[in-house]
Amino acid sequence: MALPTPTLAAIRYGYGLRPGEEPPRDVEALLGQIEEGASEKPRFPREGIAGRLDTATRVVSLLAAEAKARKAGNPNEDVRKATQGEARRIYRQDAMARLAQAIHSPLGFYERLASFWVDHFSTSVMKSLPMRMIVPLYEAQAIRPNLGGSFTGLLSAAILHPAMLIYLDQDQSVGPDSVAARKSGRGLNENLGRELLELHTLGAGSGYTQEDVRAAALILTGLSVDNRAMQVVYQPRFAEAGPVNLLGRIYRDDEGDGQDHVLMLEDLAANPKTAQHICGKLVRHFIADDAPEEVVVAMVTAWTKSRGNLTEVYRAMLEHPRAWSEPGQKIKQPFEFVVSGFRALDLPERNFANLLRDMDDGDDDESPVQKAMDLTGMAAREDSKKKAGRANALTLGALQRMGQPIWQPPSPAGFADEASVWLAPSQLSERISWSRMVARIFGQKMEPSVFLQAALADAAHPETSRIIAQAPNKVHGITMVLASAEFNRR
Amino acid sequence: MSFDNGLRLSRRGFLAGACCVAAAPILTPVSFAAMPGDNRFVTIILRGAMDGLDFVQPYGDPAYAALRPKLGLRPDTGLIDLDGFFGLNPAASALMPLWQAGELSFVHAVSTPYRDQRSHFDGQDMLETGGNGKGERTGWLNRTLAVIPRSNARKAIDINTSMELILSGPNEADSWSSQSNFALAQDEIAFLDRLYAGDPAFAKAMEEAKKTDMSADSLYGDAKRGAGIADMAKLAGGMLREDYRIASFSINGWDTHVGQQEQFKKAVGDLSTAIVALKDSLGEDAWRKTAVLTMTEFGRTARENGTNGTDHGTGGLAVLAGGAIPGGKVLGKWPGLSEDKLLDRRDLMPTGDVREVAAAMLYRQFGIEPDNLTAKVFPGLSFDTSSVYLKG
């Protein structure tokens, strides 16, 4: 089945159709989103970048003070609990803001790319309590502004961010012969060095060896995080002196200024295996698990020609005819499914924002709202609990159940991307359940056939239209639109 | 039987060619003033077009057996005889104690004014708006609130995650759902199967999900669905026992195109569960003051189809329950099932307007002026105190 460009552009390269939003006309319209998106301030972190740095450093010093007091035999449970509660609330607000960003942004392709790269350079809020605050900052600072420029720039921004260094234990790693190692007995941690080669650049099985992994880890020594300022710092005491041989090039850090890792990142970014790895991954993500080789070849050519300019790489993909044929080979990931569902339902921004308010109101804490509610009695409290549960089940809880909680990849490799993973029987059940829930809450008075048109336009199969029109009740009609194969494929 | 002056449908009445005007009172003629604001009214919407001919089977009609060779039952094959002409589907046996206690009635061959198109969506809109056309966007139960004379009887609730059309409108009403997001109805599962039939990967996932899925219990399980339905009805009963006086909820699962025996049994079981749970949670005193109107968007074809099911029809069945109704009767003007008596030679001919049944119940329960009922609640309906549903 061939689809007109705008419909396929919205479904395959964006977060689906939204009533009142004109789908991208052509390749230029898609590419045009990148600059606009990269210059925009995302909805998270909620306090903005500077504000979040303040929050994060304040929380870290609070935790440090409490840890110190605990060691001295004066633990302060209240401080610890309050801090945990705050971190949880901040994460929830940011995660909801990430959902809202994807739902309400008209720059669907840019938003999809942001998700792709956040997943490619995975970090997780589950690593530690401060990471609840830092990972959203990481996406806003390192990923989103850089995903249309050179790959070198994006790679450096991602690797040299506190979130990445903390996530992959670089802040724990010291050179075996460094000053710090001699003093503290700590040693090398290869985690970041390994993932840098295997996941971020060259790709698994591309021919590097364990020696190369160790070399990369050695070159990275010295990089650490100043927790009080939440900044990446170079600590000469942690650094291993050169020379180190990585993939045939000797890195010496002759100047002793700790810049050898910058050279390494540039070299890895320029390595042809990296281009091959990244282009293949983009095609597998956007087009088909079985990546059409000719598209990958065109992209690698553009990569080489433009010295890794990502917008040119995306252009080569989008300008290939194969980018516009055989729709529906991929299954939307849970985040895409939920976002595109809310978009199709055209939920007003205010209503979506209310869901977060419901969740905040349901907190088991001493918020003013909760106190006021306690005064009005248990019924109000139960009501607020129930609303909070419902809001969560519609959004973050749904993503958790479907296996894709926000900023919580199962491993540094990110979330699975293969269609078969997202079409497991239990996955389908979860999607039907969610569809039914949103249909009952938001779709009670919608006409299923009108909704089908809004959600899928000409991508709906005629037989699907017929079945939807015959549904035994409207809620089930709306449910079936969202649960349909067409709505779950892209 | 003294007030059953030829109004009750019976084989004798039918065969004698009596005019069969159903005029038994559908509510106990209690003095309204005696119960200030204490009466309750519940609507249950059966979505998907409930097959009234299967629920209350006219086994005494000479044409019935031929129309329903597979679905039709007789007392000697399990049908529970009600009055010598009609019999109750055995799947509803849990309702028999109510029938015997005079707390259950049926009105056969009723419909809304909706004709010819047989679309679930439009049919349900008509049922819930109570109007004559498509333009109306408020529910009749909501409009009712404005014309109930006693303000303390105006508190209404929809047992759902969001307000259904029947209670939507300018007048204040609440919605509240039970915790359970209960399992899919059988017809809904059948529709999903159809939806995925053209996509082998989805069809396979759905097949396995129904069989082996970890969440199969909550989404596809009968037991879980029954518990969810009971919770919903209990919640309605609890609300009505407190300060709510009007409640509404829906039960899906009635679109039985294929394999009706199995599907219908489950749907009838769900409704029976709901009514019994409602009664139990209301308690004796409140149940005595309660009238329940169960209705559907339209009936189904008189003939069974080629896939052991029935298709969309016209004349249907309303189920009345509660301590406030004089039960134990099958009401309605029976049109007969011979080919020439069927609408378009396919559907049970509607001989009564289900809105008039509702109007009569509202008049009795809340003392609403007939003029208000015909002007505001059911515009276009003819209804006054001489309604057949109020006689007796």
Side-chain angles (χ1 to χ4, degrees), chain B residues 23-45:
Chain B
I26 58 170
L27 293 165
T28 314
V30 289
S31 159
F32 180 71
M35 291 186 186
D38 225 14
N39 285 353
R40 275 87 162 171
F41 181 61
V42 181
T43 57
I44 304 175
I45 301 172

Side-chain angles (χ1 to χ4, degrees), chain A residues 386 426 436 440 472 474 483, chain B residues 124-125 162 177 182 196 213:
Chain A
K386 190 164 174 169
S426 58
R436 197 155 170 253
R440 284 167 70 179
K474 285 186 186 176
Chain B
Q124 287 167 33
D125 277 2
S162 70
S177 68
F182 50 81
Y196 297 139
D213 191 48

Side-chain angles (χ1 to χ4, degrees), chain A residues 331 383 386 390 401 423-426 428-430 432-433 436-437 440-442 444-445 447-449 463-464 467-474 476-477 480 483-485 488-489, chain B residues 47-48 120-121 124-125 137 160-165 168 176-177 179 181-184 187-188 191-192 194-196 199 201-202 205-206 208-209 213 215 219-220 252 255 297:
Chain A
I331 302 289
D383 189 20
K386 190 164 174 169
R390 195 186 82 165
R401 291 185 64 98
L423 189 46
S426 58
L428 184 59
S429 293
E430 290 298 343
I432 294 170
S433 287
R436 197 155 170 253
M437 182 168 45
R440 284 167 70 179
I441 295 172
F442 304 113
Q444 200 76 244
K445 290 168 195 93
E447 286 297 324
S449 298
E463 181 61 11
T464 298
I467 292 167
I468 300 292
Q470 294 167 355
N473 53 74
K474 285 186 186 176
H476 198 53
M480 286 196 291
S484 68
N488 283 271
R489 290 185 178 279
Chain B
R47 296 184 190 274
H120 292 299
F121 306 152
Q124 287 167 33
D125 277 2
R137 294 312 298 168
N160 206 315
T161 41
S162 70
M163 194 74 78
E164 294 171 285
L165 182 53
S168 297
W176 186 266
S177 68
Q179 288 296 339
N181 181 14
F182 50 81
L184 290 158
D187 61 350
E188 292 170 334
F191 261 87
L192 284 167
R194 272 181 70 197
L195 183 71
Y196 297 139
D199 190 312
F202 273 80
M206 182 71 191
E208 284 176 27
D213 191 48
S215 61
L219 201 53
Y220 316 106
N252 299 344
D255 199 19
E297 67 262 34

Side-chain angles (χ1 to χ4, degrees), chain A residues 220-482:
Chain A
L220 289 166
T221 54
L223 284 174
S224 192
V225 177
D226 173 359
N227 279 317
R228 277 163 308 182
M230 205 41 76
Q231 302 287 352
V232 172
V233 288
Y234 181 70
Q235 294 275 22
R237 293 182 302 118
F238 295 179
E240 183 80 356
V244 178
N245 182 337
L246 171 64
L247 298 164
R249 174 165 181 173
I250 309 295
Y251 297 82
R252 305 183 181 278
D253 192 17
D254 288 336
E255 292 79 25
D257 58 358
Q259 291 304 296
D260 53 340
H261 66 269
V262 176
L263 270 182
M264 170 179 69
L265 293 176
E266 284 168 6
D267 290 343
L268 288 171
N271 192 306
K273 283 173 181 159
T274 298
Q276 188 71 34
H277 174 212
I278 303 287
C279 293
K281 189 171 175 180
L282 279 164
V283 175
R284 283 194 303 279
H285 175 71
F286 281 102
I287 303 176
D289 288 347
D290 189 6
E293 191 52 34
E294 65 267 33
V295 186
V296 180
V297 168
M299 291 165 75
V300 170
T301 306
W303 182 300
T304 313
K305 217 169 129 188
S306 69
R307 298 159 59 101
N309 181 298
L310 290 169
T311 299
E312 290 311 308
V313 173
Y314 308 143
R315 181 190 302 280
M317 172 172 76
L318 296 174
E319 283 183 346
H320 199 286
R322 193 58 189 71
W324 301 95
S325 64
E326 298 178 50
Q329 295 185 73
K330 294 290 291 186
I331 302 289
K332 286 176 183 172
Q333 293 181 8
F335 184 80
E336 297 168 39
F337 169 68
V338 167
V339 167
S340 57
F342 276 120
R343 283 173 58 80
L345 287 161
D346 200 16
L347 196 65
E349 276 200 61
R350 189 163 13 103
N351 297 21
F352 190 82
N354 285 343
L355 295 176
L356 175 64
R357 195 205 51 202
D358 288 347
M359 285 154 91
D360 285 344
D361 290 352
D363 263 355
D364 250 338
D365 64 12
E366 299 299 301
S367 71
V369 180
Q370 197 57 60
K371 275 187 184 149
M373 271 185 198
D374 287 348
L375 292 175
T376 61
M378 287 308 284
R381 192 180 180 105
E382 256 181 44
D383 189 20
S384 76
K385 282 261 175 232
K386 190 164 174 169
K387 274 189 177 164
R390 195 186 82 165
N392 184 58
L394 284 168
T395 56
L396 305 183
L399 290 169
Q400 183 91 45
R401 291 185 64 98
M402 292 179 204
Q404 198 173 36
I406 294 176
W407 292 312
Q408 297 175 42
S411 81
F415 290 102
D417 193 28
E418 297 84 1
S420 58
V421 171
W422 301 119
L423 189 46
S426 58
Q427 177 71 205
L428 184 59
S429 293
E430 290 298 343
R431 292 188 186 201
I432 294 170
S433 287
W434 184 84
S435 303
R436 197 155 170 253
M437 182 168 45
V438 292
R440 284 167 70 179
I441 295 172
F442 304 113
Q444 200 76 244
K445 290 168 195 93
M446 287 183 173
E447 286 297 324
S449 298
V450 174
F451 180 63
L452 178 69
Q453 182 61 29
L456 285 166
D458 27 24
H461 194 280
E463 181 61 11
T464 298
S465 309
R466 225 173 352 262
I467 292 167
I468 300 292
Q470 294 167 355
N473 53 74
K474 285 186 186 176
V475 167
H476 198 53
I478 304 291
T479 302
M480 286 196 291
V481 172
L482 294 169

